[in-house]
Amino acid sequence: MGNVVLNLTLSEINKMKSYYEGKLLDKTPPGSVFAAKTSGSMITAYKSGKVLFQGNGSEAEASRWGEAAAKAPAKSKAAKGNLPEGFSNWSVIGSDEVGTGDFFGPITVVASYVRKEDIPLLKELGVRDSKDLNDDKIIAIAKVIKDIVPFSLMTLKNEKYNQLQKSGMSQGKMKAILHNQAILKVLEKISPVKPEGILIDQFVQESTYFQHVKNQKAVARENVYFSTKAEGIHLAVAAASILARYAFVQYFDKLSESAGFKIPKGAGAQVDEAAAKLILKKGREVLPQYVKLHFANTEKAMNLVKKRKGN
């Protein structure tokens, strides 16, 4: 039995949690974010950022998420989603999303089309993995590339998100539908030109993704590929990520303006404080417009409100 330990960011761990939807375990160890079981591996992700893979298939499973486990040539294919050779130089539609792990704010999904001949220009403009860029840099790059790269933005606002979640729709299904819609819109924009490939930053298993979108009026299926860490594989996904983050930041600014104070990102203690402040200022009934209600932060914020009212 092999063991592999990776050190990942909380954002990457949240993506992993969505990816293993349907394989999550109810009982999780203390200090963990989630635990999941696949056919060949047991995965446990901790708040510290450490992710433990155990079992005969642990190296192959870990290679989806970390370079350390993907160094062996036999594992490199799994890490890149079995993409064709030379894929990074193709003309590709890439799609990515932002906001899934944030308590406040919407989910923004962008699909963008990057032609092979525009790759050098985008590199020159600084397009790369958005995790390496701060919001100011993302905004500056996005303002330039939005006029170069054909793209489509889908924004799932909090009110609609909460309605769908309450009806029983998983976040994974919401994201799959948004990715599919964004990709279809870009295909329309660039028609009759066809991309050589479509790359989705993988958040669920491929079979689950297509299960989620099977009842949609149209589904993009031709030359569709999936890979984790796709921002580092093709600039189309990196561009999509930057544009999605730009839209997310802009929306966040509007939320802060509406709230009357600066709203923090993420899902840590600072957002509990902000939500409590919002409730005390405007009433609990406004929360569905601002937050993802099913997050544990809602209950934490309500507890803070009770304490303050008690005092």
Side-chain angles (χ1 to χ4, degrees), residues 67-306:
E67 293 173 7
K71 282 180 182 173
K75 305 299 185 296
S76 61
K77 277 192 174 181
K80 292 198 172 182
N82 296 317
L83 294 170
E85 192 175 345
F87 186 89
S88 62
N89 295 313
W90 287 13
S91 295
V92 165
I93 290 176
S95 69
D96 202 359
E97 84 281 334
V98 172
T100 57
D102 292 87
F103 181 49
F104 281 95
I107 292 175
T108 55
V109 174
V110 167
S112 68
Y113 176 55
V114 170
R115 301 180 308 159
K116 61 179 76 172
E117 51 264 45
D118 288 334
I119 289 174
L121 171 61
L122 293 179
K123 284 183 179 176
E124 184 89 12
L125 293 170
V127 175
R128 60 183 188 273
D129 189 334
S130 66
K131 289 190 285 295
D132 297 335
L133 303 168
N134 61 32
D135 282 353
D136 289 342
K137 190 69 177 169
I138 282 169
I139 289 165
I141 295 171
K143 283 181 176 178
V144 177
I145 67 170
K146 68 184 177 65
D147 297 322
I148 298 170
V149 174
F151 74 95
S152 176
L153 164 69
M154 309 300 295
T155 301
L156 181 58
K157 295 179 182 178
N158 295 97
E159 299 98 320
K160 185 66 175 176
Y161 176 95
N162 289 317
Q163 288 170 15
L164 293 172
Q165 196 278 329
K166 196 173 180 181
S167 75
M169 186 182 289
S170 69
Q171 192 185 83
K173 184 168 183 176
M174 293 180 215
K175 289 193 289 184
I177 291 169
L178 292 168
H179 275 267
N180 182 60
Q181 288 174 344
I183 290 164
L184 289 172
K185 283 185 179 294
V186 174
L187 284 168
E188 275 179 34
K189 283 185 179 182
I190 66 173
S191 180
V193 173
K194 283 190 174 184
E196 293 175 273
I198 296 171
L199 179 60
I200 298 172
D201 190 45
Q202 191 163 14
F203 54 91
V204 290
Q205 293 178 352
E206 185 175 341
S207 57
T208 306
Y209 174 89
F210 284 115
Q211 181 69 20
H212 283 332
V213 298
K214 68 177 184 180
N215 293 326
Q216 297 299 295
K217 285 181 183 176
V219 176
R221 292 181 182 275
E222 190 178 349
N223 296 326
V224 174
Y225 301 90
F226 297 81
S227 180
T228 57
K229 299 182 179 292
E231 290 180 14
I233 293 171
H234 200 286
L235 282 188
V237 182
S241 177
I242 287 169
L243 291 165
R245 184 75 184 177
Y246 175 53
F248 181 76
V249 169
Q250 283 187 308
Y251 197 96
F252 235 85
D253 289 343
K254 289 178 185 174
L255 276 186
S256 293
E257 192 179 325
S258 172
F261 60 90
K262 188 169 174 61
I263 289 173
K265 300 179 182 72
Q270 76 277 12
V271 306
D272 303 338
E273 292 285 346
K277 184 177 179 180
L278 185 66
I279 294 165
L280 289 166
K281 189 175 181 181
K282 293 180 177 284
R284 191 194 185 285
E285 63 274 10
V286 304
L287 273 188
Q289 302 164 39
Y290 289 83
V291 306
K292 301 173 183 73
L293 287 172
H294 67 106
F295 277 35
N297 303 89
T298 301
E299 189 178 343
K300 291 174 185 175
M302 291 305 297
N303 288 336
L304 287 172
V305 170
K306 285 175 189 173

